[in-house]
Amino acid sequence: TYTLRRASSANQLRPAEQAQRQAVVPADRKRAREEGSKDDGILSGWDEPVKKQPKQKQHPEVIRCSHILLKHRDMKKPFDRNGQVVVRSKEEAFRLLRAHKDEIILNLDGLGPEAKLRKIAKKESDCPSWKKGGDLGVIKKGQIAKDFEAVAF
């Protein structure tokens, strides 16, 4: 970005310089706005642009994760957390999960997303983590299923 230096007062310029400066200032201000700099007075010149290093996207190696697991009848072990056989279809499980996701995002009861997820997980999740509100704790890359890892990281 460009940084602007400002003269302390317009009266410090001689009339000829002032007229010349007024002709140059609008273009400089336009360029400054385009470059994202702020100017609130008379410009006395441009400093050299400072090159910023591009931000590198960093992916964490370790995260804290919570989830809601809803089993369906086509799973290898179609039993809920109480040992009962699950009768819902895969489509019904996805529909319920989308409804829970919307409920968490909309936050109509004002609990906040984390508290809402914990509440739903304790009530609905078929994962043993339901006792901890769906909290899986701290997980590392490579520690969980690849499809889950792709979403989590």
Side-chain angles (χ1 to χ4, degrees):
T1 62
Y2 289 97
T3 346
L4 301 174
R5 290 178 298 189
R6 196 176 96 174
S8 59
S9 171
N11 296 334
Q12 292 178 346
L13 299 174
R14 287 180 250 154
E17 290 175 333
Q18 198 169 11
Q20 182 184 14
R21 180 61 66 196
Q22 287 173 351
V24 174
V25 168
D28 287 346
R29 285 186 179 155
K30 181 179 178 185
R31 189 172 354 153
R33 267 186 258 121
E34 289 171 357
E35 294 293 330
S37 298
K38 295 180 181 179
D39 97 278
D40 52 12
I42 295 176
L43 305 177
S44 62
W46 291 94
D47 288 338
E48 287 296 315
V50 178
K51 291 184 180 180
K52 290 186 178 179
Q53 295 295 325
K55 288 186 179 179
Q56 294 179 355
K57 211 174 192 183
Q58 293 182 350
H59 296 287
E61 296 295 320
V62 177
I63 61 170
R64 182 169 198 96
C65 192
S66 297
H67 79 140
I68 298 170
L69 172 68
L70 294 182
K71 290 190 173 184
H72 55 84
R73 64 179 168 236
D74 299 328
M75 295 183 88
K76 289 180 182 177
K77 297 179 183 177
F79 303 103
D80 66 10
R81 65 184 181 195
N82 299 319
Q84 302 295 316
V85 175
V86 177
V87 294
R88 73 175 145 245
S89 68
K90 187 175 185 177
E91 293 77 23
E92 186 180 352
F94 276 113
R95 190 173 57 252
L96 285 169
L97 286 171
R98 281 192 286 284
H100 291 317
K101 179 182 175 184
D102 292 343
E103 193 177 340
I104 291 166
I105 291 170
L106 289 174
N107 193 22
L108 295 176
D109 54 6
L111 286 176
E114 293 88 4
K116 188 66 176 179
L117 187 135
R118 279 194 301 272
K119 182 179 176 183
I120 293 170
K122 284 182 179 181
K123 182 179 174 190
E124 302 276 338
S125 185
D126 292 323
C127 179
S129 68
W130 72 269
K131 296 172 187 169
K132 297 184 282 182
D135 185 15
L136 297 175
V138 176
I139 58 174
K140 298 176 185 176
K141 280 188 176 182
Q143 190 177 2
I144 53 176
K146 294 289 182 197
D147 53 346
F148 191 93
E149 184 176 293
V151 176
F153 290 91

